[in-house]
């Protein structure tokens, strides 16, 4: 790191758990963020400010006026622009020293595997079960840790699914992909704006910890947030030995 980087990241470097070595790991890291909306905005902004060397943003949507209540990476002037490009513009303004790739596309199964293979950690910041399961399958196949978050109304949740070993569960162990779950959308149910910031920031924190190999991740645990009463609940998640996604990996 040069003098400017040492100054920029000095508050990280001061932490014994991080130091120069940990910060260099972040600078060398590649993170894939799928979804540049309510969760993806704060998550990507903290990853950028923390110095993750390469960020890949994937989102096929455009900025809408209704997004601005909670999707803080976007501005009124960018309504109608692709979300991935808008978010990349914000991240570049926060930290112009990192590489940011904006992909304005809906990634299919094959494309997801290709993108996940390039990443050290993946953040699922999407809002539907079909995409979440596709991302999970790609992460299990490529053995890349997945940080998953979700928020609706006043409720949030976050967990880490790490397929690199240890018999930990994947997303499909928690929400089996062969069972019907009803997607609930912000457009019909509403969402309390600050909660996406809370969960998105926590996704960034979990990703940074995984990249640096510090602390204990949320792998094997699901955190639930009741935003109306500001109460957290932690639930242990067991691996499903018969899971069609990760079962063979642990056989």
């Amino acid at each position: 790191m040069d003098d400017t980087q040492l100054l920029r990241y000095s508050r990280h470097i001061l932490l014994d758990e991080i130091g120069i070595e940990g910060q260099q790991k972040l600078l060398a890291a590649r993170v894939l963020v799928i979804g540049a909306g309510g969760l993806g905005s704060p998550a990507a902004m903290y990853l950028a400010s923390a110095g993750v060397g390469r960020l890949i943003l994937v989102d096929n949507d455009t900025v809408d006026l209704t997004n601005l209540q909670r999707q803080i990476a976007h501005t009124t002037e960018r309504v109608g622009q692709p979300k991935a490009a808008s978010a990349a513009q914000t991240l570049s303004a926060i930290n112009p020293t990192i590489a940011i790739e904006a992909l304005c596309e809906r990634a299919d199964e094959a494309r997801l595997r290709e993108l996940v293979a390039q990443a050290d950690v993946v953040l699922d910041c999407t809002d539907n079960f079909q995409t979440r399961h596709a991302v999970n399958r790609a992460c299990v196949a490529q053995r890349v840790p997945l940080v998953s978050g979700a928020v609706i109304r006043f409720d949030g949740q976050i967990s880490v699914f790490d397929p690199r070993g240890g018999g930990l569960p994947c997303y499909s162990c928690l929400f089996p992909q062969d069972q019907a779950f009803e997607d609930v959308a912000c457009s019909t149910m509403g969402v309390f704006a600050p909660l996406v910031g809370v969960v998105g920031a926590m996704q960034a924190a979990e990703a940074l910890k995984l990249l640096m190999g510090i602390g204990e991740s949320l792998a094997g645990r699901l955190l639930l947030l009741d935003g109306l009463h500001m109460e957290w609940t932690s639930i242990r998640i067991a691996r499903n030995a018969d899971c069609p996604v990760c079962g063979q990996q642990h056989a």
Side-chain angles (χ1 to χ4, degrees):
M1 285 183 283
D2 58 29
D3 289 344
T4 301
Q5 289 174 312
L6 289 171
L7 186 60
R8 178 184 285 270
Y9 306 119
S10 60
R11 300 307 188 270
H12 263 177
I13 294 170
L14 285 170
L15 296 171
D16 291 339
E17 294 85 352
I18 298 180
I20 289 179
E21 181 181 355
Q23 188 61 50
Q24 287 176 328
K25 288 180 180 179
L26 296 183
L27 292 170
R30 301 162 297 174
V31 174
L32 173 64
V33 180
I34 304 175
L39 295 170
S41 289
M45 290 166 74
Y46 272 113
L47 293 172
S49 65
V52 170
R54 183 185 178 199
L55 287 175
I56 305 170
L57 309 176
V58 183
D59 197 306
N60 73 323
D61 201 5
T62 57
V63 180
D64 185 84
L65 187 62
T66 61
N67 301 148
L68 302 182
Q69 163 253 12
R70 66 201 177 279
Q71 299 185 16
I72 59 175
H74 312 301
T75 65
T76 304
E77 292 74 19
R78 297 184 204 154
V79 169
Q81 295 183 17
K83 284 186 182 180
S86 171
Q89 186 176 340
T90 296
L91 303 186
S92 294
I94 292 172
N95 191 348
T97 69
I98 64 173
I100 303 164
E101 186 176 358
L103 302 177
C104 307
E105 61 181 83
R106 179 180 290 277
D108 60 16
E109 198 96 10
R111 179 63 166 150
L112 279 174
R113 287 205 179 197
E114 176 186 347
L115 293 172
V116 168
Q118 301 174 31
D120 299 305
V121 173
V122 175
L123 276 70
D124 182 352
C125 301
T126 63
D127 60 0
N128 66 88
F129 282 109
Q130 181 179 0
T131 303
R132 290 171 186 159
H133 279 296
V135 173
N136 177 65
R137 289 191 294 270
C139 286
V140 170
Q142 302 294 342
R143 294 182 178 268
V144 175
L146 169 63
V147 184
S148 176
V151 173
I152 194 69
R153 293 176 56 80
F154 291 92
D155 300 312
Q157 67 180 44
I158 178 173
S159 188
V160 170
F161 303 98
D162 194 339
R164 294 176 297 181
L168 293 166
C170 75
Y171 183 82
S172 185
C173 293
L174 178 62
F175 299 106
Q177 62 179 8
D178 58 355
Q179 291 186 15
F181 291 98
E182 182 181 358
D183 283 316
V184 286
C186 303
S187 58
T188 56
M189 299 292 289
V191 60
F192 187 45
L195 285 194
V196 294
V198 172
V199 175
M202 292 183 69
Q203 285 184 266
E206 288 298 295
L208 294 174
K209 285 161 53 186
L210 286 165
L211 292 170
M212 293 184 288
I214 64 173
E216 180 182 350
S217 81
L218 281 172
R221 287 185 292 154
L222 175 68
L223 281 186
L224 302 173
L225 173 59
D226 174 353
L228 271 179
H229 302 94
M230 276 307 162
E231 293 181 348
W232 287 98
T233 302
S234 180
I235 300 173
R236 287 285 174 182
I237 312 170
R239 185 180 70 84
N240 177 8
D242 297 321
C243 176
V245 178
C246 71
Q248 289 299 316
Q249 188 182 75
H250 301 288

mmCIF file of all heavy atoms in Angstrom, residues 21 48 52 76 182 187 230 246:
data_model
loop_
_atom_site.group_PDB
_atom_site.id
_atom_site.type_symbol
_atom_site.label_atom_id
_atom_site.label_comp_id
_atom_site.label_asym_id
_atom_site.label_seq_id
_atom_site.Cartn_x
_atom_site.Cartn_y
_atom_site.Cartn_z
ATOM 1 N N GLU A 21 -1.956 -6.580 7.089
ATOM 2 C CA GLU A 21 -2.163 -7.862 6.394
ATOM 3 C C GLU A 21 -3.628 -8.051 6.014
ATOM 4 O O GLU A 21 -3.945 -8.451 4.888
ATOM 5 C CB GLU A 21 -1.701 -9.012 7.278
ATOM 6 C CG GLU A 21 -1.860 -10.378 6.618
ATOM 7 C CD GLU A 21 -1.413 -11.518 7.516
ATOM 8 O OE1 GLU A 21 -0.890 -11.244 8.615
ATOM 9 O OE2 GLU A 21 -1.595 -12.687 7.119
ATOM 10 N N ALA A 48 -16.979 -1.064 -0.794
ATOM 11 C CA ALA A 48 -16.133 -0.123 -1.528
ATOM 12 C C ALA A 48 -15.314 0.739 -0.573
ATOM 13 O O ALA A 48 -14.099 0.913 -0.748
ATOM 14 C CB ALA A 48 -16.992 0.756 -2.431
ATOM 15 N N VAL A 52 -12.348 -3.207 -0.731
ATOM 16 C CA VAL A 52 -12.371 -4.448 -1.523
ATOM 17 C C VAL A 52 -11.904 -4.113 -2.933
ATOM 18 O O VAL A 52 -12.465 -3.238 -3.600
ATOM 19 C CB VAL A 52 -13.777 -5.063 -1.535
ATOM 20 C CG1 VAL A 52 -13.854 -6.210 -2.546
ATOM 21 C CG2 VAL A 52 -14.148 -5.562 -0.148
ATOM 22 N N THR A 76 -32.140 11.000 -7.283
ATOM 23 C CA THR A 76 -33.281 11.424 -8.092
ATOM 24 C C THR A 76 -32.874 11.640 -9.547
ATOM 25 O O THR A 76 -33.617 11.292 -10.477
ATOM 26 C CB THR A 76 -33.878 12.727 -7.516
ATOM 27 O OG1 THR A 76 -34.227 12.512 -6.143
ATOM 28 C CG2 THR A 76 -35.115 13.150 -8.296
ATOM 29 N N GLU A 182 -43.918 -18.475 -1.024
ATOM 30 C CA GLU A 182 -44.519 -17.323 -1.689
ATOM 31 C C GLU A 182 -43.592 -16.120 -1.600
ATOM 32 O O GLU A 182 -43.190 -15.703 -0.515
ATOM 33 C CB GLU A 182 -45.863 -16.975 -1.040
ATOM 34 C CG GLU A 182 -46.571 -15.813 -1.719
ATOM 35 C CD GLU A 182 -47.894 -15.474 -1.047
ATOM 36 O OE1 GLU A 182 -48.268 -16.173 -0.084
ATOM 37 O OE2 GLU A 182 -48.540 -14.501 -1.485
ATOM 38 N N SER A 187 -43.269 -3.862 -3.256
ATOM 39 C CA SER A 187 -44.272 -3.056 -3.955
ATOM 40 C C SER A 187 -45.681 -3.309 -3.448
ATOM 41 O O SER A 187 -46.565 -2.463 -3.590
ATOM 42 C CB SER A 187 -44.208 -3.342 -5.463
ATOM 43 O OG SER A 187 -44.407 -4.724 -5.717
ATOM 44 N N MET A 230 -37.070 -3.997 17.730
ATOM 45 C CA MET A 230 -35.614 -4.053 17.723
ATOM 46 C C MET A 230 -35.100 -5.216 18.575
ATOM 47 O O MET A 230 -34.300 -5.058 19.490
ATOM 48 C CB MET A 230 -34.997 -2.738 18.194
ATOM 49 C CG MET A 230 -34.887 -1.699 17.095
ATOM 50 S SD MET A 230 -34.040 -2.357 15.642
ATOM 51 C CE MET A 230 -34.552 -1.154 14.396
ATOM 52 N N CYS A 246 -26.495 -29.554 -1.805
ATOM 53 C CA CYS A 246 -25.191 -29.748 -1.150
ATOM 54 C C CYS A 246 -24.982 -31.150 -0.595
ATOM 55 O O CYS A 246 -23.903 -31.458 -0.096
ATOM 56 C CB CYS A 246 -24.997 -28.721 -0.034
ATOM 57 S SG CYS A 246 -26.047 -28.989 1.432
#
